[in-house]
Amino acid sequence: MKEKTQVGIIGAGPAGLLLSHLLHLEGIDSVVLEARSRKYVEERVRAGVLEQGTVDLLCDTGLGDRLRREGLVHRGIELRFDGRGHRIALSDLTGGRAIWIYGQQEVVKDLINARLAADAMIHFEVGDVRLSGIDSTKPVIKYRLDDREHVLTCDFIAGCDGYHGVSRESIPAGVLRTYHHEYPFGWLGILAAVAPSTEELIYASHERGFALHSLRTPEISRLYIQVKPDEDINEWPDERIWEELSIRLATNDGWTLTYGPVLEKGVTAMRGFVVEPMQYGRLFLAGDAAHIVPATGAKGLNLAVHDVHKLAEAFIAWYRKGTNDLLEQYSNRCLGRVWRVQDFSSFMSLMLHRYPEDDGFRGRLQHAQLEYVCSSEAAARSLAENYVGPPHV
Ligand code: FAD
Ligand code: PHB
């Protein structure tokens, strides 16, 4: 089967789907190829915090209906340590900016609905995806669907296939410089059918390890505890998770954590990863395919959205005006933000997690940092400014 499109997009996560949507609004044709089923990508539980800039882009491009109705605006977060909570007033410290709580899988559902309503080509459950000719003007994606071999010829390819995808691997050896850092901890996350025991997110530092109380809706909570990166989930029956959460989140003033049925649980390692440049020939990498940040800063999804915003601008300039400056500058326009976010996510991670090898010195530094952030307006403003994220420029 021979097919043609303008932009071939690999991966129907937030990056691939949003890119396809932004291009469609400008009359640019794309085909999205996804290895998993529609049900799988719509149900995969991941991020929950959207920056103001992400929300603004979704709303400005017609994707805001349900987000405005069901999304929860948060104007502060809590840092909890020594049994006490300290509020970081995000909006007061950033001239009114805020974050929104709206599950990544809700963003994905909204995007798939919008794309299919516009008769988009999204192929789910494709196999054996291979890229060729990425240094030519007609790159090709070969894939299998329903036991048939397909050949898709494109003007450009967008590799939006996440950290484990094939796009990055298709770039010849020696072109990319890879930066990689493994943090010595992971997160065990649960989604629970219980009203959150807090109105705002709580980031807790405790001698037994970090804990985070987040949420999705007024009825659904999302919570995490620091564990080993290779922790065996079978060692954690639900009761043990709740007990550990309530120890790490405990306060001196009698705050209590309400337990409830666990709907989903999993362990994620924390890593920092960046490839430079994020492009080669006619292949452009976006989102987790090009970079990973530890989840402590709540930034991965937001960074993916920023990348495809810049990539869409570059493709639009090429198709509308025939200029390729923005395509050439794509990587540089993204990497400044990528490293800013890498630094912020590292700062949050280093401040809040217990280090297995700590002889006490690191713990004292962390405590001093937490005290500083909670007592100095300048330090709190710096955290807030990074947490809500700068506008897309
Ligand atoms: P993905 O969502 O990974 O999408 C890539 C897609 O490509 C997938 O659907 C995959 O199936 C598909 N694919 C892979 N290989 C192939 C192939 N060979 N062929 C075709 N398709 C392929 N970020 C935040 O901003 N805020 C948060 O609060 C937050 N919390 C998180 C909590 C957890 C526990 C985790 C794990 C992540 C969190 N993140 C958060 C990060 C965020 O989820 C990711 O950064 C985001 O999913 C990146 O989107 P993406 O589209 O680049 O990649
Ligand atoms: C989430 O709600 O899943 C979440 C919130 C904050 C983070 C990471 C994840 O830093």
Side-chain angles (χ1 to χ4, degrees), residues 55-122:
V55 171
D56 291 347
L57 180 64
L58 296 175
C59 290
D60 290 350
T61 58
L63 294 163
D65 283 358
R66 203 160 65 92
L67 170 56
R68 275 194 215 92
R69 260 194 335 269
E70 297 176 18
L72 306 169
V73 181
H74 280 205
R75 304 198 171 279
I77 55 168
E78 182 180 324
L79 297 181
R80 196 173 273 190
F81 58 100
D82 294 343
R84 284 184 49 214
H86 307 258
R87 183 167 191 264
I88 304 289
L90 299 175
S91 295
D92 294 347
L93 290 162
T94 59
R97 294 174 74 74
I99 52 148
W100 289 57
I101 303 297
Y102 190 67
Q104 176 169 326
Q105 73 268 42
E106 307 308 324
V107 175
V108 166
K109 277 182 212 154
D110 294 346
L111 278 162
I112 292 178
N113 284 336
R115 292 308 296 119
L116 294 181
D119 292 328
M121 296 283 266
I122 309 178

Side-chain angles (χ1 to χ4, degrees), residues 46-49 187 201 203 212 214 216 222 224 295-298 387:
R46 291 175 89 182
V49 175
W187 282 12
L201 269 61
Y203 287 82
L212 169 61
S214 180
R216 285 296 176 271
R222 178 84 168 137
Y224 300 94
T296 332
Y387 198 85

Side-chain angles (χ1 to χ4, degrees), residues 3 69 88 131 157 192 208 214 269 281 296-297 307 357 377-378 380-381 383:
E3 299 146 356
R69 260 194 335 269
I88 304 289
L131 287 66
I157 300 176
R208 294 169 68 101
S214 180
T296 332
D307 286 353
E357 81 290 3
E377 186 178 303
R381 192 187 303 282
L383 190 156

Side-chain angles (χ1 to χ4, degrees), residues 10-17 33-36 40-41 44-51 104 108 126-129 160-167 187 189 203 214 216 222 224 266 268-270 286-289 291-293 295 297-304 387:
I10 307 178
L17 291 165
L33 303 175
E34 167 59 49
R36 304 288 194 153
Y40 182 92
V41 299
R44 185 166 42 197
V45 180
R46 291 175 89 182
V49 175
L50 306 186
E51 290 178 354
Q104 176 169 326
V108 166
V126 303
D128 202 14
V129 174
C160 304
D161 47 352
Y163 182 64
H164 300 286
V166 290
S167 302
W187 282 12
Y203 287 82
S214 180
R216 285 296 176 271
R222 178 84 168 137
Y224 300 94
T268 316
M270 294 286 132
D288 280 14
H291 41 70
I292 299 282
V293 285
K299 292 291 173 208
L301 167 62
N302 294 293
L303 214 44
Y387 198 85

